[in-house]
Amino acid sequence: MNHRVVNGLRLFWVIVTLWYELGVFFKSVHSCDWPDAVLQSTHSRAAEKPAHILLVADPQIIDHRSYPERGPFLTYLSRLVVDLNLRKAWRTAVRKQPNVVIFLGDMMDGGRIDMTDEEYEGYYQRFKDTFRLPLGIPTYFIPGNHDVGLRTSPLFSPHAHSRYQSHFGPLNSRILVANHTVLLLDAPSFVEEDEQRVVSGNSYQDWTPPSGGPTEFLKMTAQGRQYRYQSVLRFNLMSL
């Protein structure tokens, strides 16, 4: 086989490698545009620029517990490859320049597992290093079952909820994006509370949820909206 053929094959494999390691990420993001044109053509205030929210679901940064059947070398290689692909996907996604980023839970695969504070801190730093955000973009998080656990297990840390709150923020929150209210809900705790309600045999109206949980948060939010609506309606009627 002559040198031209060998060099041609080498160049071909280099191009193929670069395409599947980088090109496919940029191609996918380039073909996924914000629907601004559609929104502005159907909206009465077409001159306003729509707000863009980037939703990130289940990144699940893995650790040595994620695949216990794998040996140390294969575990290290798995972490390296997964982190690399997540980082590449993230860097191409933020090129869409979102106004807000919301992570929909399960940031770290073993975030709920009992471990030392030092190990958790290192785990969290890997997440931050992978998902680096440009300055000025608000970022919010919703807890998933891999972050805070679901039900009970001897493997779960008793500090899972407090660790989550100190690193990612509140379990339940309400944010305002472009005059839209977005509720961020602790879904695992909501499932657990609903199971308690079903066992008690009560409806939502007759059941008193645990203090500070997602059900109470939803009820208070709904009551607040109803109160504001009634206040505005009463003011409008008095103005007639």
Side-chain angles (χ1 to χ4, degrees), residues 117-143:
D117 291 339
E118 292 75 15
E119 183 180 357
Y120 187 91
E121 193 63 34
Y123 203 176
Y124 173 70
Q125 288 301 322
R126 276 184 57 216
F127 173 83
K128 287 185 63 178
D129 291 341
T130 301
F131 295 96
R132 294 181 180 178
L133 265 174
L135 294 177
I137 300 181
T139 308
Y140 303 94
F141 302 89
I142 300 174

Side-chain angles (χ1 to χ4, degrees), residues 60-67 70 72-87 119 122-123 126 130:
Q60 292 194 11
I61 300 290
I62 66 174
D63 67 352
H64 62 279
R65 302 178 184 86
S66 299
Y67 300 101
R70 299 180 181 179
F73 175 74
L74 193 55
T75 296
Y76 170 79
L77 188 61
S78 299
R79 285 177 48 180
L80 184 66
V81 172
V82 170
D83 285 3
L84 179 62
N85 281 284
L86 284 173
R87 190 173 292 113
E119 183 180 357
Y123 203 176
R126 276 184 57 216
T130 301

Side-chain angles (χ1 to χ4, degrees), residues 140-153:
Y140 303 94
F141 302 89
I142 300 174
N145 64 304
H146 283 262
D147 303 308
V148 297
L150 179 62
R151 303 183 182 91
T152 59
S153 169

